[in-house]
Amino acid sequence: MKRLSLASYAPLLGVLVLGLALRLLLWNNLPRPGLISDEGEYLAAATWLAQGRNFSWYLGYLWTRAPVYALFVAAHLFLFDDLRAVYVTQIAFSLLNVVLVYALCQSITQLTTHRFRTASIAALLMALYLPFATFTQVLLSETLYLTLLLGGFLALVRASALSPQPSAFSPQPSALSPRVGWVALAGVLFGLATLTRSLTLAFLPLAALWVAGIGHSAPRDWWRLTRRGVLSGAVFLACAGALILPWTVYNSVRLYDGLVVVDTSGAFNLLLGARTAYDSGRNDAATRDFVLILLGQKEASKLTTPACATLPAPLPSSQAARQSAMTREGLCLIGAKPLAFIQKSLGELVDLFQINY
């Protein structure tokens, strides 16, 4: 195989310099009056963690979160007691994301003539995309989450490139190959991504199915599962599950007194989306009031928008029970006006591709 010279990576080094320059220009220059979006929540939870108070901050909050980003911020507060340390680390991760995009693009275009040029352009877009640059200076999980996702996808692509091939000497190649190592690494990275943002949980079975189907010599036979392929898919799920399962047990037994797989933010978002569709307009206040009643912080008589499902009596005393109540209310609202929910969801899908904030 032809060895690449240092000059081959000159475009990537130039892109990294530009990306770093943009992030340094933005340093302490974002037009923000204070904490925005979910920053206050992450900072509060991380502060309690740094003080040795565990995840107890979430016991009285509207929802619970996946643990990794709160732990990430807490570690910086414990070691440096300065939020700027978080931003420095996130800048490093953001530049690593540029490298990962470069490597990912090269891996999936390796048979094309202009793969270095294509990878350099992709890396340049990643380096100069303003939201990715500004996310480095906010206490939000996007930068770390992207690092884990990109690393996981790169590991999957490398695994697919090492799909076992039969030969005259080994018509049934061993399932224990370098490919399995990449699959295991992908499982670990996607497991960590799930513990950063729980929405990845639904993606894991699809990824495992893809892993199970890439071990064939003929691409047209991808749908024919083999023992080697199934083993690889099982390795992927086992490595991801080895990280997620302990947190689920800790969540369910020690913290929230009931089954909470990763967090309860999904139940809140389900309720918010259902209420938005039911009322034909975004209504955060009604959803928050409902959850505040569940928390015992507001009287049920002061609920301005009637609940669809019957409020539990007595009020739930754990986050797991509140999750069930939020899910039940959300499903009741969707069942009452299913077409409105479908229409709202389709409209939000259009907004997503329009980058319509």
Side-chain angles (χ1 to χ4, degrees):
M1 185 174 66
K2 183 179 179 181
R3 180 171 294 181
L4 298 176
S5 65
L6 183 61
S8 302
Y9 295 100
L12 174 60
L13 294 175
V15 166
L16 289 173
V17 170
L18 288 174
L20 178 60
L22 175 61
R23 285 151 180 78
L24 292 178
L25 285 173
L26 292 172
W27 182 264
N28 207 31
N29 284 319
L30 297 184
R32 51 185 293 169
L35 297 175
I36 60 172
S37 186
D38 297 325
E39 283 190 299
E41 173 197 336
Y42 279 125
L43 179 58
T47 301
W48 281 39
L49 278 167
Q51 294 171 353
R53 301 166 71 178
N54 208 313
F55 287 91
S56 56
W57 186 84
Y58 281 109
L59 293 176
Y61 197 59
L62 299 168
W63 55 74
T64 68
R65 286 280 187 185
V68 166
Y69 189 69
L71 288 168
F72 171 81
V73 177
H76 286 78
L77 293 178
F78 181 79
L79 293 173
F80 307 105
D81 195 26
D82 192 335
L83 288 179
R84 288 175 297 183
V86 179
Y87 303 151
V88 169
T89 303
Q90 289 186 160
I91 286 175
F93 277 126
S94 182
L95 295 176
L96 175 59
N97 292 344
V98 175
V99 176
L100 290 172
V101 164
Y102 182 87
L104 185 60
C105 188
Q106 275 214 357
S107 295
I108 61 179
T109 60
Q110 56 183 333
L111 299 180
T112 63
T113 306
H114 303 293
R115 65 189 181 100
F116 285 103
R117 183 184 303 172
T118 304
S120 299
I121 293 173
L124 180 64
L125 294 173
M126 187 74 180
L128 299 184
Y129 186 55
L130 193 58
F132 291 155
T134 56
F135 273 139
T136 60
Q137 291 188 65
V138 292
L139 294 177
L140 297 175
S141 61
E142 275 73 5
T143 300
L144 177 59
Y145 183 62
L146 280 174
T147 302
L148 296 169
L149 278 185
L150 289 170
F153 282 122
L154 181 60
L156 288 179
V157 171
R158 293 294 173 86
S160 69
L162 293 172
S163 295
Q165 303 289 330
S167 67
F169 299 99
S170 178
Q172 294 297 328
S174 171
L176 296 177
S177 65
R179 173 174 179 256
V180 177
W182 284 110
V183 169
L185 176 61
V188 169
L189 291 172
F190 277 107
L192 289 172
T194 303
L195 293 179
T196 305
R197 299 289 292 268
S198 60
L199 59 91
T200 315
L201 188 64
F203 176 74
L204 295 180
L206 297 177
L209 184 61
W210 183 84
V211 169
I214 62 175
H216 307 286
S217 57
R220 65 179 178 274
D221 293 336
W222 64 269
W223 54 273
R224 293 180 180 172
L225 298 181
T226 65
R227 182 181 63 84
R228 293 191 303 273
V230 171
L231 177 60
S232 295
V235 168
F236 174 84
L237 286 179
C239 291
L243 293 173
I244 299 169
L245 184 59
W247 172 250
T248 301
V249 173
Y250 182 74
N251 255 352
S252 305
V253 177
R254 294 287 302 276
L255 276 179
Y256 305 130
D257 193 25
L259 181 61
V260 175
V261 178
V262 177
D263 59 36
T264 64
S265 61
F268 183 92
N269 286 324
L270 172 69
L271 174 57
L272 177 60
R275 174 54 68 182
T276 298
Y278 187 88
D279 293 340
S280 301
R282 189 168 181 86
N283 191 349
D284 295 19
T287 302
R288 287 179 175 270
D289 285 348
F290 181 86
V291 182
L292 288 174
I293 290 171
L294 296 180
L295 287 166
Q297 299 178 16
K298 192 165 187 173
E299 295 179 9
S301 60
K302 294 184 178 180
L303 188 63
T304 55
T305 305
C308 178
T310 304
L311 282 168
L315 292 176
S317 59
S318 69
Q319 285 286 25
R322 294 178 195 118
Q323 174 184 246
S324 298
M326 286 188 285
T327 301
R328 186 167 56 252
E329 175 71 5
L331 293 177
C332 180
L333 290 168
I334 293 172
K337 291 186 177 181
L339 294 180
F341 184 79
I342 294 173
Q343 183 180 3
K344 178 201 74 75
S345 300
L346 291 176
E348 289 177 346
L349 181 63
V350 173
D351 287 347
L352 173 66
F353 287 99
Q354 291 181 340
I355 315 180
N356 184 351
Y357 299 105

